[in-house]
Structure formats: C-alpha cells, structure tokens
Amino acid sequence: MNALEVRNLTKAYPQFKVDQISLDVKRGYITGLIGPNGVGKSTLIKMMLGMVRPDSGTVRILGCEMPAQEVEVKQRIGVVSDDCFYYEHLSIRDMQQMIAPFYRKWSHHTFNRYLEQFELSPNMKIETLSKGMKVKFSLAVALSHEAELLIMDEPTSGLDPVFRRELLDLLANILQDEHNSIIFSTHITTDLDRIADYIAFINRGKLVFSEAKDSLLERYAIVKGDLQLLDSDIRKLFVGMRETAVGFEGLVEDRQQAAQLFGEHVILDKATLEDIMYYTAKGGRIHA
Amino acid sequence: MLNLLRKDFIALKSSLWMTLLFLVVFSVAFIPKLEVSLYLVGIYTAFASLNLGTMIDIKNHNHKFLVTLPVNRKQLVQAKYIAAIIYTLFGVFASYGIHTLVTFAMPELHKPEYSAIDLLAPIGIMLILSAIYMPLFYSLSKKGAAIINVVFMIILIGLAQPTAIVMNMVKEKGISDDPMLILVLIGVLLLFAASYFLTVHLFKRKDF
C-alpha cells in the first residue's frame, strides 16, 4: 500500500514548471527525493501539503484525498522543513501549548523526551534557535503526535554532522513500525545512501526516475577510460560524461551493457546517488 | 475553532498590554475634545487591536506554519473574523465603560448619556472596516498588509472629524426608532458575511 500517491502534478510559474509528476511513496519505507537546488522538490512537497495549489493533478495521502480531507491528513502527518515559520517571539513551551491542542494524539511526554534528547530547553525563544535547532524542534513536534508519514523538506541542510547522523538513526528507528513512512527531500545524497529504500529523482521540474535504491545502484555505473574509446555512437550511451586531458569518466544507465561493450578496456565503478544526480543534471559532455 | 482563538491569545499574550495602551491613548485624545468620543475610542481601539491580531500572523510569514496545522484555510479565516468581532465588542464596550466612568468622575466634560442604540453605530462601523480590511489582508503579501495597515490608520485619523460631524447630525435627527436603522444593520451584517466568503475564496487561492 502507498502512503502517498501523486498523479500528474503540474504547476507552472513564469520561469519554471513542475511538470506532470507522478510518484508513489510506499508505506513502511523511506523515499528520498533528490535533485539539484531549484528543480522543484520543495514546490512538489508544498503541493503535496496543500501549501501550493497545483494547476492540475491529484494527491492522495494515507488513503485520503488532498485537499478535500486535509484536516484528517494533517492529523496523521508530520512536516519537518529547514524553513521554520514558528512565532519567533514565543518560547518552545509557548509553541508547544499552541500546537498541542490541534492534535488528537499529541503526547506531552514524547515531546519532552525529544526536547531532552535534542538538548533543547523549553524556555528558549524560537528567535534564539539556530537553523539546526529549529529543525530539531520541528522534528520534536512532528514526532509527538504519532505521525504515520513524515514529510521532510531538506531537514539536514542546517545540521552538524553529529546530529545529522543521529537524525538518520532516529528515522531508521521510526521505520521499525512498518505503518510509518518517510519522504525525505535533500540535495545531500550521502544521507540517503545510508537510509533510503526508494529514490525519486527530480530534475528541471520532471521526475527522472522513482525506484528502489538498490536496483538503481546496481543498474547505473561509472565508466572510466581512455578518450580514444569514444566515438559519437558510444557517447550516446552515457547519461553524462566528464572529459579531461587524460581520459573520461561518465555515467551509464545500463551497467551490463557497458560491461559487454567495453570489456577490460575501462574501469567500471559503482555509481553513488551523487554521481547519478550530478551527471543526469549536467547531461551531455563536461570538460574538466 | 477554539484552538485557533487560543493560538491567537498565546501569540499575542506579550502584546496584550498594547490594547489597553490604545484604549488609554485614544481616550485621552478624544474624550475631552469630541462629543462623539464614545464611537471614536471604540472604533480606534478595536481596529488597532485587529491590526495587532492580524499582523502577528505574518510577522515571520507564520501563515506558512499555520497551513501545516490540522485545520483548513476556511477555519483559519473564520477564526480571524470571530476575533474581529471580539475586538469590536471589546473596543466598544471598553469605550462605553470608560465613558460611563468619565460621566461620573468628570462631570465638567459634559459627556452625553449613551443608550444601547449608541453602541450599535461604532459596532457597525467597525464591522464595515473589518469587512474591507480582511480580504485585503489575506490577499496581500507581508509588505502589502503592512502598507494596508498604515493606510487604514491614516484614513481613520483623517476621518475622525468628518465622522464626528456626521454622528452629531445623526444623533440630532434621532434615528433610533427609524426603520432605516434596521435596514442599515442588516446591510452591515450582509457586507460582513460577504467579506468573509470573499476572504475565504482569496485565501484558498494563495500559494505559500
């Protein structure tokens, strides 16, 4: 069963368009939403949450239609973003008192436990929190009302490496309950290398792929070889390529095909999510 | 709905003293000078409080946070319209209370006796002002809303004297038992209701 289903979601701006995106987030798994900055990840997430009205397309979250059943949906989801828009002049305790009554399943005990774990004092004012602390606070809020789906928009971008690692462990723990699901948008792909089960890649407003991370990493490969191996037909096999004076390095979508074609003449490496994102975003030929 | 009103109270709790400050400042400014000070103190206090209550939500683009809460946009607007009614009643009744005190404590100011009908005028005017202000507030950006607040305050200050003159004329004509009064009141309520539906429509179309 899917925790989230997006169908043909489209939103056009004068300079930019999120174009006909269809995407499923499977229940019980972490789906990473990757893509360079400014390609539409945040817009897509905002459309899922009803913050931005799509020009066309539909969104179903936890079996409920958005925006028709948004109140019920929002009871069951948690939103964590690097952009926090809480009341800056209030303390964490005030914000808790403000937010808690809105949720049927709010647990003060859980909230206080997370505050302690994240080393946040209830008396701290929101305006005094660093970006990373704000993410921690919004995570504490999201985890204190038994959210079944966590929607996280660039949550790790303001975090130090220590808490980033802790956060990833925490997310993995949340997934111990197979009813919980996470969609995690980021351009820091190493975070997803660690925890994601599925990867959806957005580039220039379009969905490039959405599939299991393991099969993706098995399918794609980095090919390194001598420039003499390249001709116009061979170049077409590459998703993206980087050429230097001594050779080339490129991403191919079909590892087996590349292995058969080049044999022992090249080095075939495993592609990382960053490689896939980089070469797909850049495309064509890059001279270094 | 109660949660949203409670949310406003928590967000405003450190600035609630300003509402009392408005009341004192407008009372000192209008009561000794104008016969229709009951209306002006009530309207100004209520409108300044409404400004405070709306601006608190956009100070740090807080609508972006509010729309992630388990409420819909219609409920967010509904709560603000109810808050506008509360500010109106607070402003007008606080003004009435102060005027009653002044009548006893400072008889030399010769403030007139006020009836329940007298309270309807500032309530009606405040509902009209809210009906115009709210759709503008919810359709404009943070900067636009701040400009609208300033514009409204300037208009209110500019209209103080003409309003006083009109109010005096109305009082002299004695329309308290005129059927026109009922029609005007119904018109004001219809305008307020129409404004609510317009604001909901505009706010639902807004992207965050």
Side-chain angles (χ1 to χ4, degrees):
Chain A
M1 190 187 167
N2 293 325
L4 188 145
E5 291 171 359
V6 165
R7 294 289 174 270
N8 304 315
L9 220 50
T10 299
K11 177 80 182 179
Y13 293 102
Q15 308 285 332
F16 162 73
K17 187 179 185 186
V18 172
D19 197 8
Q20 297 274 328
I21 289 186
S22 295
L23 174 69
D24 290 336
V25 171
K26 297 207 184 316
R27 191 171 273 212
Y29 295 98
I30 298 182
T31 298
L33 190 61
I34 61 169
N37 283 330
V39 295
K41 299 191 297 293
S42 291
T43 306
L44 179 63
I45 283 181
K46 284 179 178 176
M47 283 195 278
M48 291 172 187
L49 292 171
M51 294 172 77
V52 167
R53 283 181 345 131
D55 295 335
S56 62
T58 59
V59 178
R60 260 177 97 81
I61 299 180
L62 301 167
C64 301
E65 291 290 337
M66 284 288 280
Q69 295 170 278
E70 68 173 314
V71 178
E72 176 56 25
V73 167
K74 288 174 186 172
Q75 283 286 352
R76 297 165 63 194
I77 64 170
V79 182
V80 180
S81 164
D82 69 333
D83 273 337
C84 297
F85 297 101
Y86 299 116
Y87 291 87
E88 294 271 310
H89 63 290
L90 296 182
S91 67
I92 286 179
R93 183 62 71 217
D94 289 334
M95 282 306 302
Q96 180 206 2
Q97 285 171 352
M98 182 188 279
I99 295 168
F102 285 97
Y103 292 98
R104 288 192 301 260
K105 294 185 178 175
W106 182 272
S107 163
H108 289 291
H109 173 73
T110 309
F111 182 75
N112 289 333
R113 186 163 50 81
Y114 280 118
L115 286 192
E116 214 167 286
Q117 185 179 339
F118 299 157
E119 295 174 0
L120 293 173
S121 160
N123 299 322
M124 292 170 100
K125 289 208 167 180
I126 302 295
E127 64 196 355
T128 64
L129 302 182
S130 66
K131 201 172 179 185
M133 288 161 112
K134 283 180 182 168
V135 170
K136 288 178 182 179
F137 172 62
S138 77
L139 190 62
V141 170
L143 297 177
S144 298
H145 60 91
E146 295 181 29
E148 295 164 56
L149 172 66
L150 277 187
I151 298 179
M152 310 177 86
D153 188 10
E154 303 276 1
T156 51
S157 61
L159 300 179
D160 62 76
V162 178
F163 185 69
R164 254 174 65 199
R165 189 79 62 112
E166 280 174 25
L167 171 68
L168 300 180
D169 290 342
L170 191 69
L171 297 182
N173 274 339
I174 292 166
L175 267 281
Q176 298 290 322
D177 182 342
E178 61 190 23
H179 291 293
N180 293 338
S181 321
I182 296 170
I183 181 163
F184 187 124
S185 129
T186 185
H187 60 273
I188 308 171
T189 52
T190 47
D191 292 340
L192 297 176
D193 281 326
R194 286 202 188 96
I195 57 159
D197 302 297
Y198 290 87
I199 300 291
F201 179 28
I202 312 274
N203 193 33
R204 293 179 187 146
K206 285 181 183 284
L207 183 74
V208 180
F209 57 72
S210 174
E211 61 181 279
K213 183 184 75 183
D214 292 343
S215 72
L216 190 70
L217 296 181
E218 273 171 29
R219 191 156 54 85
Y220 280 89
I222 290 288
V223 181
K224 291 174 185 169
D226 201 276
L227 284 173
Q228 289 168 341
L229 293 168
L230 299 175
D231 61 29
S232 58
D233 289 334
I234 296 284
R235 285 179 199 279
K236 283 178 191 162
L237 295 175
F238 287 86
V239 175
M241 186 189 289
R242 190 171 152 269
E243 292 176 32
T244 65
V246 291
F248 74 91
E249 179 185 294
L251 179 78
V252 289
E253 202 177 332
D254 190 335
R255 184 188 181 94
Q256 284 186 337
Q257 186 193 29
Q260 283 171 3
L261 188 69
F262 295 112
E264 299 291 312
H265 300 292
V266 295
I267 299 168
L268 274 182
D269 278 345
K270 218 174 167 180
T272 62
L273 289 175
E274 189 171 306
D275 292 328
I276 296 170
M277 190 168 93
Y278 173 76
Y279 284 108
T280 310
K282 288 286 180 190
R285 212 187 313 172
I286 305 151
H287 291 279
Chain B
M1 187 56 57
L2 276 178
N3 288 335
L4 286 168
L5 294 174
R6 192 170 171 277
K7 180 273 298 173
D8 272 2
F9 179 76
I10 293 172
L12 283 169
K13 70 177 181 184
S14 59
S15 21
L16 281 177
W17 62 272
M18 284 180 70
T19 309
L20 292 176
L21 181 72
F22 295 143
L23 187 63
V24 171
V25 169
F26 295 135
S27 296
V28 170
F30 295 130
I31 291 176
K33 290 179 190 159
L34 297 169
E35 198 183 328
V36 289
S37 55
L38 172 81
Y39 310 134
L40 296 180
V41 172
I43 293 166
Y44 277 52
T45 305
F47 195 78
S49 304
L50 177 65
N51 272 353
L52 206 63
T54 49
M55 291 307 281
I56 199 83
D57 280 347
I58 56 169
K59 216 168 153 186
N60 185 35
H61 305 282
N62 305 99
H63 279 142
K64 292 185 182 181
F65 153 67
L66 295 176
V67 294
T68 66
L69 289 173
V71 287
N72 56 38
R73 296 191 188 193
K74 186 179 168 185
Q75 290 167 323
L76 287 170
V77 172
Q78 224 166 52
K80 226 29 130 184
Y81 270 76
I82 291 173
I85 293 172
I86 293 170
Y87 296 133
T88 301
L89 294 177
F90 165 77
V92 172
F93 283 105
S95 172
Y96 179 70
I98 285 189
H99 279 79
T100 309
L101 276 177
V102 166
T103 311
F104 286 112
M106 302 165 113
E108 67 275 15
L109 288 177
H110 304 295
K111 300 310 284 185
E113 292 277 318
Y114 296 107
S115 65
I117 294 288
D118 285 314
L119 298 183
L120 285 179
I123 289 174
I125 291 171
M126 187 53 206
L127 291 182
I128 293 169
L129 286 171
S130 304
I132 300 166
Y133 171 78
M134 294 292 240
L136 291 170
F137 171 78
Y138 274 100
S139 55
L140 292 171
S141 63
K142 182 182 176 182
K143 204 173 164 186
I147 293 168
I148 284 296
N149 278 343
V150 174
V151 169
F152 262 78
M153 287 317 279
I154 292 170
I155 290 172
L156 279 178
I157 292 164
L159 286 180
Q161 201 59 34
T163 306
I165 294 164
V166 172
M167 285 298 181
N168 274 332
M169 282 166 59
V170 169
K171 280 194 80 170
E172 279 163 20
K173 280 181 95 178
I175 60 155
S176 59
D177 51 355
D178 195 318
M180 270 297 285
L181 182 67
I182 308 286
L183 282 178
V184 170
L185 285 176
I186 291 170
V188 169
L189 291 176
L190 284 176
L191 177 69
F192 193 71
S195 161
Y196 161 71
F197 287 112
L198 174 66
T199 306
V200 169
H201 174 73
L202 293 170
F203 194 50
K204 275 185 174 176
R205 292 169 60 89
K206 205 166 177 179
D207 286 343
F208 291 100

